[in-house]
Amino acid sequence: MLPSVPPIGEGHPHSMELLPSEDLDPALEASEQTLLIFVPRELERQMQKRQATQKYISEFKQSREAWKIEEKKKMEEENAKILAFAKKMQEREA
């Protein structure tokens, strides 16, 4: 059977004496006010960063798609020129 452990109470070397609530109020109030100011600002900053990143990604995708279309168009034009040249060379050989 386990030995009985006496509860930590007043006068015990490991007991914590709490400060009166009047002493904690200004510190807690300041902490709360700081959090009330900081947290919304931090959330707003994070949201703005997220929106900026999403906008950048969206614009990048659009410009990449436009680039791909332009490159495809150039490739098709070049292929048409190569085919025309090959056809002309065959006609000369014949």
Side-chain angles (χ1 to χ4, degrees):
M1 188 177 247
L2 294 174
S4 150
V5 178
I8 297 177
E10 208 173 294
H12 190 278
H14 291 60
S15 68
M16 283 182 50
E17 292 185 29
L18 297 175
L19 295 173
S21 62
E22 301 89 39
D23 294 339
L24 291 178
D25 283 347
L28 288 175
E29 191 173 319
S31 293
E32 284 180 16
Q33 289 175 351
T34 303
L35 286 175
L36 288 174
I37 293 169
F38 177 75
V39 170
R41 285 183 183 169
E42 182 64 20
L43 291 174
E44 179 69 25
R45 187 184 68 78
Q46 289 175 356
M47 187 170 66
Q48 288 174 348
K49 281 179 68 175
R50 192 175 303 118
Q51 288 173 342
T53 302
Q54 288 173 347
K55 182 180 177 185
Y56 176 80
I57 291 170
S58 174
E59 289 173 355
F60 174 80
K61 285 181 178 180
Q62 289 174 351
S63 65
R64 183 171 180 239
E65 194 60 36
W67 177 82
K68 285 169 63 176
I69 290 169
E70 189 63 33
E71 286 297 308
K72 184 178 179 183
K73 182 180 172 185
K74 286 179 185 178
M75 185 72 73
E76 288 171 352
E77 288 173 359
E78 191 165 336
N79 286 342
K81 288 179 184 178
I82 291 171
L83 288 174
F85 179 76
K87 186 176 180 180
K88 192 182 274 188
M89 293 302 287
Q90 281 181 346
E91 289 174 359
R92 284 187 185 173
E93 290 177 2

Coordinates of all heavy atoms in Angstrom, one line a residue:
M1 N 0.8 -1.2 0.0 CA 0.0 0.0 0.0 C 0.9 1.2 0.0 O 1.9 1.3 0.6 CB -0.9 0.0 1.2 CG -1.9 1.0 1.2 SD -3.0 0.9 2.6 CE -4.5 0.5 1.8
L2 N 0.5 2.3 -0.7 CA 1.2 3.5 -0.8 C 1.1 4.3 0.4 O 0.1 4.4 1.0 CB 0.8 4.3 -2.0 CG 1.0 3.7 -3.4 CD1 0.3 4.6 -4.4 CD2 2.4 3.6 -3.7
P3 N 2.2 5.0 0.8 CA 2.2 5.9 2.0 C 1.3 7.1 1.7 O 1.2 7.6 0.6 CB 3.6 6.3 2.2 CG 4.3 6.1 1.0 CD 3.6 5.0 0.2
S4 N 0.7 7.6 2.7 CA -0.2 8.7 2.5 C 0.7 10.0 2.5 O 1.6 10.2 3.2 CB -1.1 8.8 3.7 OG -1.5 10.1 4.1
V5 N 0.4 10.9 1.5 CA 1.2 12.1 1.3 C 0.3 13.3 1.8 O -0.8 13.4 1.4 CB 1.5 12.3 -0.2 CG1 2.2 13.6 -0.4 CG2 2.2 11.1 -0.8
P6 N 0.9 14.0 2.7 CA 0.2 15.2 3.3 C 0.0 16.2 2.2 O 0.9 16.4 1.4 CB 1.1 15.7 4.4 CG 2.4 15.2 4.1 CD 2.3 13.9 3.3
P7 N -1.2 16.9 2.2 CA -1.4 17.9 1.2 C -0.5 19.1 1.4 O -0.1 19.4 2.6 CB -2.9 18.3 1.4 CG -3.1 17.9 2.8 CD -2.3 16.8 3.1
I8 N -0.2 19.8 0.3 CA 0.6 21.0 0.4 C -0.3 22.1 0.9 O -1.3 22.5 0.2 CB 1.3 21.4 -0.9 CG1 2.3 20.2 -1.3 CG2 2.0 22.7 -0.8 CD1 2.9 20.4 -2.6
G9 N 0.0 22.7 2.0 CA -0.9 23.8 2.5 C -0.1 25.0 2.9 O 1.1 25.1 2.7
E10 N -0.7 25.8 3.6 CA -0.1 27.0 4.2 C 1.0 26.6 5.1 O 0.9 25.7 5.9 CB -1.2 27.8 4.9 CG -0.9 29.3 4.9 CD -2.0 30.1 5.6 OE1 -3.1 30.1 5.0 OE2 -1.8 30.6 6.6
G11 N 2.2 27.3 4.9 CA 3.3 27.0 5.8 C 4.2 25.9 5.2 O 5.3 25.7 5.7
H12 N 3.7 25.2 4.2 CA 4.6 24.1 3.6 C 5.6 24.8 2.8 O 5.4 25.8 2.1 CB 3.7 23.2 2.8 CG 4.4 22.0 2.3 ND1 5.2 22.0 1.2 CD2 4.4 20.7 2.8 CE1 5.7 20.8 1.0 NE2 5.2 20.0 2.0
P13 N 6.9 24.2 2.8 CA 8.0 24.9 2.0 C 7.7 25.0 0.5 O 8.3 25.8 -0.1 CB 9.2 24.0 2.3 CG 8.7 22.8 2.9 CD 7.3 23.0 3.5
H14 N 6.9 24.1 0.0 CA 6.6 24.1 -1.5 C 5.3 24.8 -1.8 O 4.9 24.8 -3.0 CB 6.6 22.7 -2.0 CG 8.0 22.1 -2.0 ND1 8.7 21.9 -0.8 CD2 8.7 21.6 -3.0 CE1 9.8 21.3 -1.1 NE2 9.9 21.1 -2.4
S15 N 4.6 25.4 -0.9 CA 3.4 26.0 -1.2 C 3.6 27.4 -1.8 O 4.6 28.1 -1.5 CB 2.5 26.2 0.0 OG 3.1 27.1 0.9
M16 N 2.8 27.8 -2.8 CA 2.9 29.1 -3.4 C 1.9 30.0 -2.7 O 0.7 29.7 -2.7 CB 2.6 29.1 -4.9 CG 3.8 28.5 -5.7 SD 3.4 28.5 -7.5 CE 2.9 30.1 -7.8
E17 N 2.3 31.2 -2.3 CA 1.4 32.1 -1.8 C 1.0 33.1 -3.0 O 1.9 33.6 -3.7 CB 2.0 32.9 -0.7 CG 2.2 32.1 0.5 CD 2.7 32.9 1.7 OE1 2.4 34.1 1.8 OE2 3.5 32.4 2.5
L18 N -0.2 33.2 -3.3 CA -0.7 34.0 -4.4 C -0.7 35.5 -4.0 O -1.0 35.8 -2.8 CB -2.1 33.6 -4.8 CG -2.2 32.1 -5.4 CD1 -3.6 31.8 -5.7 CD2 -1.3 32.0 -6.6
L19 N -0.4 36.3 -4.9 CA -0.5 37.7 -4.7 C -2.0 38.1 -4.6 O -2.8 37.5 -5.3 CB 0.2 38.5 -5.8 CG 1.7 38.3 -5.9 CD1 2.2 38.9 -7.2 CD2 2.4 38.8 -4.7
P20 N -2.2 39.2 -3.9 CA -3.6 39.7 -3.9 C -4.1 40.0 -5.3 O -3.3 40.5 -6.1 CB -3.6 40.9 -3.0 CG -2.3 40.8 -2.3 CD -1.4 40.0 -3.1
S21 N -5.4 39.9 -5.6 CA -5.9 40.1 -6.9 C -5.6 41.6 -7.4 O -5.5 41.8 -8.6 CB -7.3 39.7 -7.0 OG -8.1 40.5 -6.2
E22 N -5.5 42.5 -6.4 CA -5.3 43.9 -6.8 C -4.0 44.1 -7.5 O -3.8 44.9 -8.4 CB -5.4 44.8 -5.6 CG -6.7 44.8 -4.8 CD -6.7 43.8 -3.7 OE1 -5.7 43.6 -3.1 OE2 -7.7 43.1 -3.6
D23 N -3.0 43.3 -7.1 CA -1.7 43.4 -7.7 C -1.6 42.8 -9.1 O -0.8 43.2 -9.9 CB -0.6 42.7 -6.8 CG -0.5 43.4 -5.4 OD1 -0.8 44.6 -5.3 OD2 0.0 42.8 -4.5
L24 N -2.4 41.8 -9.4 CA -2.4 41.2 -10.6 C -3.2 41.9 -11.7 O -2.9 41.8 -12.9 CB -2.9 39.7 -10.5 CG -2.0 38.8 -9.8 CD1 -2.7 37.4 -9.7 CD2 -0.7 38.6 -10.4
D25 N -4.2 42.6 -11.3 CA -5.1 43.3 -12.2 C -4.5 44.2 -13.2 O -4.7 44.0 -14.4 CB -6.3 44.0 -11.5 CG -7.3 43.0 -11.0 OD1 -7.3 41.9 -11.4 OD2 -8.2 43.5 -10.2
P26 N -3.6 45.1 -12.8 CA -2.9 45.9 -13.8 C -2.1 45.2 -14.8 O -2.1 45.4 -16.0 CB -2.1 46.9 -13.0 CG -2.7 46.9 -11.6 CD -3.2 45.5 -11.5
A27 N -1.4 44.1 -14.4 CA -0.6 43.3 -15.3 C -1.5 42.5 -16.2 O -1.2 42.5 -17.4 CB 0.3 42.4 -14.5
L28 N -2.5 41.9 -15.7 CA -3.4 41.2 -16.6 C -4.1 42.1 -17.5 O -4.3 41.8 -18.7 CB -4.5 40.4 -15.7 CG -3.9 39.2 -14.9 CD1 -5.0 38.6 -14.1 CD2 -3.4 38.2 -15.9
E29 N -4.6 43.2 -17.0 CA -5.2 44.2 -17.9 C -4.3 44.7 -19.0 O -4.7 44.7 -20.2 CB -5.7 45.4 -17.1 CG -6.7 46.3 -17.9 CD -7.3 47.4 -17.0 OE1 -7.6 47.1 -15.8 OE2 -7.3 48.5 -17.5
A30 N -3.1 44.9 -18.7 CA -2.1 45.3 -19.7 C -1.9 44.2 -20.7 O -1.8 44.4 -21.9 CB -0.8 45.8 -19.1
S31 N -1.8 43.0 -20.2 CA -1.6 41.8 -21.1 C -2.8 41.7 -22.0 O -2.7 41.4 -23.2 CB -1.4 40.6 -20.3 OG -0.2 40.6 -19.6
E32 N -4.0 41.8 -21.5 CA -5.2 41.7 -22.3 C -5.3 42.7 -23.3 O -5.6 42.5 -24.5 CB -6.5 41.7 -21.4 CG -6.7 40.5 -20.6 CD -8.0 40.6 -19.7 OE1 -8.8 41.5 -20.0 OE2 -8.1 39.7 -18.8
Q33 N -5.0 44.0 -23.0 CA -5.0 45.1 -23.9 C -4.0 44.9 -25.0 O -4.3 45.1 -26.2 CB -4.8 46.4 -23.2 CG -5.9 46.8 -22.4 CD -5.6 48.1 -21.6 OE1 -4.5 48.6 -21.6 NE2 -6.6 48.7 -20.9
T34 N -2.8 44.4 -24.6 CA -1.8 44.1 -25.6 C -2.3 43.0 -26.6 O -2.1 43.2 -27.8 CB -0.5 43.6 -24.9 OG1 -0.1 44.7 -24.0 CG2 0.6 43.4 -26.0
L35 N -2.8 42.0 -26.0 CA -3.4 40.9 -26.9 C -4.5 41.4 -27.8 O -4.6 41.0 -29.0 CB -3.8 39.7 -26.1 CG -2.7 38.9 -25.5 CD1 -3.3 37.8 -24.5 CD2 -1.8 38.2 -26.5
L36 N -5.4 42.2 -27.2 CA -6.5 42.7 -28.0 C -6.0 43.6 -29.2 O -6.7 43.7 -30.2 CB -7.4 43.5 -27.1 CG -8.3 42.7 -26.2 CD1 -9.1 43.6 -25.2 CD2 -9.2 41.8 -26.9
I37 N -4.9 44.2 -29.0 CA -4.3 45.0 -30.1 C -3.5 44.2 -31.0 O -3.6 44.2 -32.2 CB -3.4 46.2 -29.5 CG1 -4.3 47.2 -28.8 CG2 -2.6 46.9 -30.6 CD1 -3.6 48.2 -27.9
F38 N -2.6 43.3 -30.5 CA -1.6 42.6 -31.3 C -2.3 41.5 -32.1 O -2.0 41.3 -33.3 CB -0.6 42.0 -30.3 CG 0.4 41.1 -31.1 CD1 1.4 41.7 -31.8 CD2 0.3 39.7 -31.0 CE1 2.3 40.9 -32.5 CE2 1.2 38.9 -31.7 CZ 2.2 39.5 -32.4
V39 N -3.2 40.7 -31.5 CA -3.7 39.5 -32.2 C -4.5 39.9 -33.4 O -4.2 39.4 -34.5 CB -4.6 38.7 -31.2 CG1 -5.4 37.6 -31.9 CG2 -3.7 38.0 -30.1
P40 N -5.4 40.9 -33.4 CA -6.1 41.3 -34.6 C -5.2 41.8 -35.7 O -5.3 41.5 -36.8 CB -7.1 42.3 -34.2 CG -7.3 42.1 -32.7 CD -6.0 41.5 -32.2
R41 N -4.2 42.6 -35.2 CA -3.2 43.1 -36.2 C -2.4 42.0 -36.8 O -2.2 42.0 -38.0 CB -2.3 44.1 -35.5 CG -2.9 45.4 -35.2 CD -1.9 46.4 -34.6 NE -2.5 47.7 -34.2 CZ -1.9 48.6 -33.5 NH1 -0.7 48.4 -33.0 NH2 -2.6 49.7 -33.2
E42 N -2.0 41.1 -36.0 CA -1.2 39.9 -36.5 C -2.0 39.1 -37.5 O -1.6 38.7 -38.6 CB -0.7 39.1 -35.4 CG 0.2 37.9 -35.8 CD 1.5 38.3 -36.5 OE1 1.9 39.5 -36.3 OE2 2.0 37.5 -37.2
L43 N -3.3 38.9 -37.1 CA -4.2 38.1 -38.0 C -4.4 38.8 -39.3 O -4.4 38.2 -40.4 CB -5.5 37.8 -37.3 CG -5.5 36.8 -36.1 CD1 -6.8 36.7 -35.5 CD2 -5.0 35.5 -36.6
E44 N -4.6 40.2 -39.2 CA -4.8 41.0 -40.4 C -3.5 40.9 -41.3 O -3.6 40.8 -42.5 CB -5.1 42.4 -40.0 CG -5.3 43.4 -41.2 CD -6.6 43.1 -42.0 OE1 -7.5 42.5 -41.4 OE2 -6.6 43.5 -43.2
R45 N -2.4 41.0 -40.7 CA -1.1 41.0 -41.4 C -1.0 39.6 -42.1 O -0.6 39.5 -43.3 CB 0.1 41.2 -40.5 CG 1.4 41.3 -41.2 CD 2.5 41.5 -40.2 NE 2.8 40.3 -39.5 CZ 3.4 39.2 -40.0 NH1 3.9 39.2 -41.2 NH2 3.6 38.1 -39.2
Q46 N -1.3 38.5 -41.4 CA -1.2 37.2 -42.0 C -2.2 37.1 -43.2 O -1.9 36.5 -44.2 CB -1.4 36.1 -41.0 CG -0.3 36.0 -40.0 CD -0.7 35.0 -38.9 OE1 -1.8 34.5 -38.8 NE2 0.3 34.7 -38.0
M47 N -3.4 37.6 -43.0 CA -4.4 37.5 -44.0 C -4.0 38.3 -45.3 O -4.1 37.9 -46.4 CB -5.7 38.0 -43.5 CG -6.9 37.8 -44.5 SD -8.5 38.2 -43.9 CE -8.4 39.9 -43.6
Q48 N -3.4 39.5 -45.1 CA -2.9 40.3 -46.2 C -1.8 39.6 -46.9 O -1.7 39.6 -48.1 CB -2.4 41.7 -45.7 CG -3.5 42.6 -45.3 CD -3.1 43.9 -44.7 OE1 -1.9 44.0 -44.3 NE2 -4.0 44.8 -44.5
K49 N -0.9 39.0 -46.2 CA 0.2 38.2 -46.8 C -0.3 37.0 -47.6 O 0.1 36.8 -48.7 CB 1.2 37.7 -45.7 CG 2.2 38.7 -45.2 CD 3.1 38.1 -44.2 CE 4.0 37.1 -44.7 NZ 5.0 36.6 -43.7
R50 N -1.3 36.3 -47.1 CA -1.9 35.2 -47.8 C -2.6 35.7 -49.0 O -2.5 35.1 -50.1 CB -3.0 34.5 -46.8 CG -3.4 33.2 -47.3 CD -4.3 32.5 -46.3 NE -3.7 32.3 -45.1 CZ -4.1 32.8 -43.9 NH1 -5.2 33.6 -43.9 NH2 -3.5 32.6 -42.8
Q51 N -3.3 36.8 -48.9 CA -4.0 37.4 -50.1 C -3.0 37.8 -51.2 O -3.2 37.6 -52.4 CB -4.9 38.5 -49.7 CG -6.2 38.1 -49.0 CD -7.0 39.3 -48.4 OE1 -6.5 40.4 -48.3 NE2 -8.2 39.0 -48.1
A52 N -1.9 38.4 -50.7 CA -0.9 38.9 -51.7 C -0.3 37.7 -52.4 O 0.0 37.7 -53.6 CB 0.2 39.7 -51.0
T53 N 0.0 36.6 -51.6 CA 0.5 35.4 -52.2 C -0.4 34.8 -53.2 O 0.0 34.4 -54.3 CB 0.9 34.4 -51.1 OG1 1.8 35.0 -50.2 CG2 1.5 33.1 -51.7
Q54 N -1.7 34.7 -52.8 CA -2.7 34.1 -53.7 C -2.8 35.0 -55.0 O -3.0 34.4 -56.1 CB -4.1 34.0 -53.0 CG -4.1 33.0 -52.0 CD -5.4 33.0 -51.2 OE1 -6.2 33.9 -51.2 NE2 -5.6 31.9 -50.4
K55 N -2.8 36.3 -54.9 CA -2.8 37.2 -56.0 C -1.6 37.0 -56.9 O -1.8 36.9 -58.2 CB -2.9 38.6 -55.6 CG -3.0 39.6 -56.7 CD -3.1 41.1 -56.2 CE -3.1 42.0 -57.4 NZ -3.0 43.4 -56.9
Y56 N -0.4 36.9 -56.3 CA 0.8 36.6 -57.1 C 0.7 35.3 -57.9 O 1.0 35.2 -59.0 CB 2.0 36.6 -56.1 CG 3.3 36.3 -56.8 CD1 4.0 37.2 -57.6 CD2 3.8 35.0 -56.8 CE1 5.2 36.9 -58.2 CE2 5.0 34.7 -57.4 CZ 5.7 35.6 -58.1 OH 6.8 35.3 -58.8
I57 N 0.2 34.3 -57.2 CA 0.1 33.0 -57.8 C -0.9 33.0 -59.0 O -0.6 32.5 -60.1 CB -0.3 31.9 -56.8 CG1 0.9 31.6 -55.8 CG2 -0.7 30.6 -57.5 CD1 0.5 30.8 -54.6
S58 N -2.0 33.7 -58.8 CA -3.0 33.8 -59.8 C -2.5 34.6 -61.0 O -2.7 34.1 -62.2 CB -4.2 34.5 -59.2 OG -5.2 34.8 -60.2
E59 N -1.8 35.7 -60.8 CA -1.2 36.5 -61.9 C -0.1 35.7 -62.6 O 0.0 35.7 -63.8 CB -0.7 37.8 -61.3 CG -1.7 38.7 -60.9 CD -1.2 40.0 -60.2 OE1 0.1 40.1 -60.0 OE2 -2.0 40.9 -59.9
F60 N 0.7 34.9 -61.8 CA 1.7 34.1 -62.4 C 1.1 33.0 -63.3 O 1.5 32.8 -64.5 CB 2.6 33.4 -61.3 CG 3.5 32.5 -61.9 CD1 4.7 32.9 -62.4 CD2 3.3 31.1 -61.9 CE1 5.7 32.0 -63.0 CE2 4.2 30.2 -62.4 CZ 5.4 30.6 -62.9
K61 N 0.0 32.4 -62.9 CA -0.6 31.4 -63.7 C -1.2 32.0 -65.0 O -1.1 31.4 -66.0 CB -1.7 30.7 -62.9 CG -1.2 29.7 -61.8 CD -2.4 29.0 -61.1 CE -1.9 28.0 -60.1 NZ -3.0 27.4 -59.4
Q62 N -1.8 33.2 -64.8 CA -2.4 33.8 -66.0 C -1.3 34.2 -67.0 O -1.4 33.9 -68.2 CB -3.1 35.1 -65.6 CG -4.4 34.8 -64.9 CD -5.1 36.0 -64.4 OE1 -4.6 37.1 -64.5 NE2 -6.4 35.9 -64.0
S63 N -0.2 34.7 -66.5 CA 0.9 35.1 -67.4 C 1.6 33.9 -68.0 O 2.0 33.9 -69.2 CB 1.9 36.0 -66.7 OG 2.6 35.3 -65.7
R64 N 1.7 32.8 -67.3 CA 2.3 31.6 -67.8 C 1.4 31.0 -68.9 O 1.9 30.5 -69.9 CB 2.4 30.6 -66.6 CG 3.1 29.3 -67.1 CD 3.4 28.4 -65.9 NE 4.1 27.2 -66.3 CZ 3.6 26.0 -66.0 NH1 2.5 25.8 -65.3 NH2 4.2 24.9 -66.5
E65 N 0.1 31.0 -68.6 CA -0.8 30.5 -69.6 C -0.8 31.3 -70.9 O -0.7 30.8 -72.0 CB -2.3 30.5 -69.1 CG -3.3 29.7 -69.9 CD -2.9 28.2 -70.0 OE1 -2.4 27.7 -69.1 OE2 -3.1 27.7 -71.1
A66 N -0.7 32.7 -70.8 CA -0.5 33.5 -72.0 C 0.8 33.2 -72.7 O 0.8 33.2 -73.9 CB -0.6 35.0 -71.6
W67 N 1.9 33.0 -71.9 CA 3.2 32.7 -72.5 C 3.1 31.4 -73.3 O 3.6 31.2 -74.4 CB 4.2 32.6 -71.4 CG 5.6 32.2 -71.9 CD1 6.5 33.0 -72.5 CD2 6.1 30.9 -71.8 NE1 7.6 32.3 -72.8 CE2 7.4 30.9 -72.4 CE3 5.6 29.7 -71.4 CZ2 8.2 29.8 -72.6 CZ3 6.5 28.5 -71.5 CH2 7.7 28.6 -72.1
K68 N 2.4 30.4 -72.6 CA 2.3 29.1 -73.3 C 1.5 29.2 -74.6 O 1.9 28.6 -75.6 CB 1.6 28.1 -72.4 CG 2.5 27.6 -71.2 CD 1.7 26.8 -70.2 CE 1.1 25.5 -70.7 NZ 0.5 24.7 -69.6
I69 N 0.5 30.0 -74.6 CA -0.3 30.2 -75.9 C 0.5 30.8 -76.9 O 0.5 30.4 -78.1 CB -1.6 31.0 -75.6 CG1 -2.6 30.1 -74.7 CG2 -2.2 31.5 -76.8 CD1 -3.7 30.9 -74.1
E70 N 1.3 31.9 -76.5 CA 2.2 32.6 -77.4 C 3.3 31.6 -78.0 O 3.6 31.6 -79.2 CB 2.8 33.8 -76.8 CG 3.5 34.7 -77.7 CD 2.7 35.4 -78.7 OE1 1.5 35.6 -78.5 OE2 3.2 35.6 -79.9
E71 N 3.9 30.8 -77.1 CA 4.9 29.9 -77.5 C 4.3 28.9 -78.5 O 5.0 28.5 -79.5 CB 5.5 29.2 -76.3 CG 6.5 30.1 -75.6 CD 7.7 30.6 -76.4 OE1 8.4 29.7 -77.0 OE2 7.9 31.8 -76.4
K72 N 3.1 28.4 -78.2 CA 2.5 27.4 -79.1 C 2.3 28.0 -80.5 O 2.5 27.4 -81.5 CB 1.2 26.9 -78.5 CG 0.5 25.8 -79.3 CD -0.8 25.4 -78.6 CE -1.4 24.3 -79.5 NZ -2.7 23.9 -78.9
K73 N 1.8 29.3 -80.5 CA 1.6 30.0 -81.7 C 2.9 30.1 -82.5 O 2.9 29.9 -83.7 CB 1.0 31.4 -81.5 CG 0.6 32.2 -82.7 CD 0.0 33.5 -82.3 CE -0.1 34.4 -83.5 NZ -0.6 35.7 -83.1
K74 N 4.0 30.5 -81.9 CA 5.3 30.6 -82.5 C 5.7 29.3 -83.1 O 6.3 29.2 -84.2 CB 6.3 31.2 -81.5 CG 6.2 32.6 -81.2 CD 7.2 33.0 -80.2 CE 7.1 34.5 -79.7 NZ 8.1 34.8 -78.7
M75 N 5.6 28.2 -82.3 CA 6.0 26.9 -82.7 C 5.2 26.5 -83.9 O 5.8 25.9 -84.9 CB 5.8 25.9 -81.6 CG 6.3 24.5 -81.9 SD 8.1 24.4 -81.9 CE 8.4 24.5 -80.1
E76 N 3.9 26.7 -84.0 CA 3.1 26.4 -85.1 C 3.5 27.1 -86.3 O 3.6 26.6 -87.5 CB 1.6 26.6 -84.8 CG 1.1 25.6 -83.8 CD -0.4 25.9 -83.4 OE1 -0.9 27.0 -83.7 OE2 -0.9 25.0 -82.7
E77 N 3.8 28.4 -86.2 CA 4.3 29.2 -87.3 C 5.6 28.7 -87.8 O 5.8 28.6 -89.1 CB 4.4 30.7 -86.9 CG 3.1 31.4 -86.7 CD 3.3 32.8 -86.1 OE1 4.4 33.2 -85.9 OE2 2.2 33.5 -85.9
E78 N 6.5 28.4 -86.9 CA 7.8 27.9 -87.3 C 7.7 26.5 -88.0 O 8.3 26.3 -89.0 CB 8.7 27.8 -86.1 CG 10.2 27.5 -86.6 CD 11.2 27.7 -85.4 OE1 10.9 28.5 -84.5 OE2 12.2 27.1 -85.5
N79 N 6.8 25.7 -87.5 CA 6.6 24.4 -88.2 C 6.0 24.6 -89.6 O 6.4 23.8 -90.5 CB 5.6 23.5 -87.3 CG 6.3 23.0 -86.1 OD1 7.5 22.9 -86.0 ND2 5.5 22.5 -85.1
A80 N 5.1 25.5 -89.7 CA 4.5 25.8 -91.0 C 5.6 26.3 -92.0 O 5.6 25.8 -93.2 CB 3.4 26.8 -90.9
K81 N 6.5 27.1 -91.5 CA 7.6 27.6 -92.4 C 8.5 26.4 -92.8 O 9.0 26.3 -93.9 CB 8.4 28.7 -91.7 CG 7.7 30.0 -91.5 CD 8.6 31.0 -90.8 CE 7.9 32.3 -90.5 NZ 8.7 33.2 -89.8
I82 N 8.8 25.5 -91.8 CA 9.7 24.4 -92.1 C 9.0 23.5 -93.1 O 9.7 23.0 -94.1 CB 10.0 23.6 -90.8 CG1 10.9 24.5 -89.9 CG2 10.6 22.3 -91.1 CD1 11.1 23.9 -88.5
L83 N 7.7 23.2 -93.0 CA 7.0 22.4 -93.9 C 7.0 23.0 -95.3 O 7.1 22.3 -96.3 CB 5.6 22.1 -93.4 CG 5.4 21.2 -92.2 CD1 4.0 21.1 -91.8 CD2 5.9 19.8 -92.6
A84 N 6.8 24.3 -95.3 CA 6.8 25.0 -96.6 C 8.1 24.9 -97.3 O 8.3 24.7 -98.5 CB 6.4 26.5 -96.4
F85 N 9.2 25.1 -96.5 CA 10.5 25.0 -97.0 C 10.8 23.6 -97.5 O 11.4 23.4 -98.6 CB 11.6 25.4 -95.9 CG 13.0 25.3 -96.4 CD1 13.5 26.2 -97.2 CD2 13.8 24.2 -96.0 CE1 14.9 26.1 -97.6 CE2 15.1 24.1 -96.4 CZ 15.6 25.1 -97.2
A86 N 10.4 22.6 -96.7 CA 10.6 21.2 -97.2 C 9.9 20.9 -98.4 O 10.4 20.2 -99.3 CB 10.2 20.2 -96.0
K87 N 8.7 21.4 -98.6 CA 7.9 21.2 -99.8 C 8.5 21.9 -101.0 O 8.6 21.3 -102.1 CB 6.5 21.8 -99.6 CG 5.5 21.5 -100.7 CD 4.1 22.0 -100.4 CE 3.2 21.7 -101.5 NZ 1.8 22.1 -101.2
K88 N 9.1 23.1 -100.8 CA 9.7 23.8 -101.9 C 11.0 23.0 -102.3 O 11.3 22.9 -103.5 CB 10.1 25.2 -101.4 CG 10.6 26.1 -102.5 CD 11.0 27.5 -101.9 CE 9.7 28.3 -101.8 NZ 10.1 29.7 -101.5
M89 N 11.7 22.5 -101.3 CA 12.9 21.7 -101.7 C 12.6 20.4 -102.4 O 13.3 20.1 -103.4 CB 13.7 21.3 -100.4 CG 14.3 22.5 -99.6 SD 15.4 23.5 -100.6 CE 16.8 22.4 -100.7
Q90 N 11.5 19.8 -102.1 CA 11.1 18.6 -102.8 C 10.7 18.9 -104.2 O 11.0 18.2 -105.2 CB 9.9 17.9 -102.1 CG 10.3 17.1 -100.9 CD 9.1 16.4 -100.2 OE1 7.9 16.8 -100.5 NE2 9.4 15.5 -99.4
E91 N 10.0 20.1 -104.4 CA 9.7 20.5 -105.7 C 10.9 20.8 -106.6 O 10.9 20.5 -107.8 CB 8.7 21.7 -105.7 CG 7.4 21.4 -105.1 CD 6.5 22.7 -104.9 OE1 7.0 23.8 -105.2 OE2 5.4 22.5 -104.5
R92 N 11.9 21.4 -106.0 CA 13.1 21.7 -106.8 C 13.9 20.4 -107.2 O 14.5 20.4 -108.3 CB 14.1 22.5 -105.9 CG 13.7 24.0 -105.8 CD 14.7 24.8 -105.1 NE 14.2 26.1 -104.9 CZ 14.9 27.0 -104.2 NH1 16.0 26.7 -103.6 NH2 14.4 28.2 -104.0
E93 N 13.8 19.4 -106.3 CA 14.5 18.2 -106.6 C 13.8 17.4 -107.7 O 14.4 16.6 -108.4 CB 14.7 17.3 -105.3 CG 15.7 17.9 -104.3 CD 15.7 17.0 -103.0 OE1 15.1 16.0 -102.9 OE2 16.5 17.5 -102.1
A94 N 12.5 17.6 -107.7 CA 11.7 16.8 -108.7 C 11.8 17.3 -110.1 O 12.4 18.0 -110.6 CB 10.3 16.8 -108.3

